[in-house]
Amino acid sequence: MLSSKSLLPSLLPYWVYNIVAGIDNEGKGAVYSYDPVGSYQRESYRAGGTASAIIQPLLDNQLGYKNQSNVDPTPLTRERVRDMVRDIFAAASERDIYTGGRGGKSVLLTLLES
């Protein structure tokens, strides 16, 4: 489905960056990011869209523990992830006019809460 949608001639000259997330066969979360030419990579987390330059460094810091010293990575609780997503989307929507407002934020939070 992704290849048929991202390579449609009617979408040219637009570039499409897709992110697909789900659960793998071992019950672990899986995130795949696809670039406009169809290359993909499995990652622990990924931001996309107009606010990705704002969101990705926050994810790197909070989930990847990058640029932190003397920190012991601990597993995140569902509540901590939900609160983190709210905070990160709030920060992004304050800086990026295209983030929030169209229901995407509420859908993501609903998925996290279920």
Side-chain angles (χ1 to χ4, degrees), residues 7 18 23 26 31 37 46 53 56 58 76 81 95 100 103 107:
L7 297 176
N18 295 297
I23 306 294
E26 298 172 4
V31 177
V37 294
R46 169 60 63 194
Q56 191 64 46
L58 293 169
L76 297 170
V81 170
R95 299 283 182 190
V107 170

Side-chain angles (χ1 to χ4, degrees), residues 50-72:
T50 59
S52 62
I54 299 167
I55 295 173
Q56 191 64 46
L58 293 169
L59 294 175
D60 289 340
N61 182 269
Q62 294 298 304
L63 297 177
Y65 297 100
K66 295 182 180 177
N67 300 317
Q68 296 185 35
S69 56
N70 302 324
V71 175
D72 184 29

Side-chain angles (χ1 to χ4, degrees), residues 66-114:
K66 295 182 180 177
N67 300 317
Q68 296 185 35
S69 56
N70 302 324
V71 175
D72 184 29
T74 57
L76 297 170
T77 64
R78 185 181 204 95
E79 292 77 23
R80 175 70 181 120
V81 170
R82 184 194 62 228
D83 293 344
M84 189 183 309
V85 168
R86 282 189 177 136
D87 291 344
I88 289 172
F89 269 89
S93 64
E94 289 175 8
R95 299 283 182 190
D96 181 59
I97 62 172
Y98 301 108
T99 300
R102 285 189 230 135
K105 185 168 37 171
S106 62
V107 170
L108 180 60
L109 292 175
T110 301
L111 289 172
L112 286 171
E113 291 170 352
S114 61

Side-chain angles (χ1 to χ4, degrees), residues 4-66:
S4 65
K5 296 299 179 195
S6 61
L7 297 176
L8 284 176
S10 62
L11 292 178
L12 297 175
Y14 300 106
W15 292 97
V16 178
Y17 293 87
N18 295 297
I19 298 175
V20 177
I23 306 294
D24 67 10
N25 292 337
E26 298 172 4
K28 293 183 68 175
V31 177
Y32 290 89
S33 62
Y34 294 78
D35 68 14
V37 294
S39 299
Y40 66 93
Q41 179 177 354
R42 182 174 178 160
E43 302 176 271
S44 299
Y45 52 87
R46 169 60 63 194
T50 59
S52 62
I54 299 167
I55 295 173
Q56 191 64 46
L58 293 169
L59 294 175
D60 289 340
N61 182 269
Q62 294 298 304
L63 297 177
Y65 297 100
K66 295 182 180 177

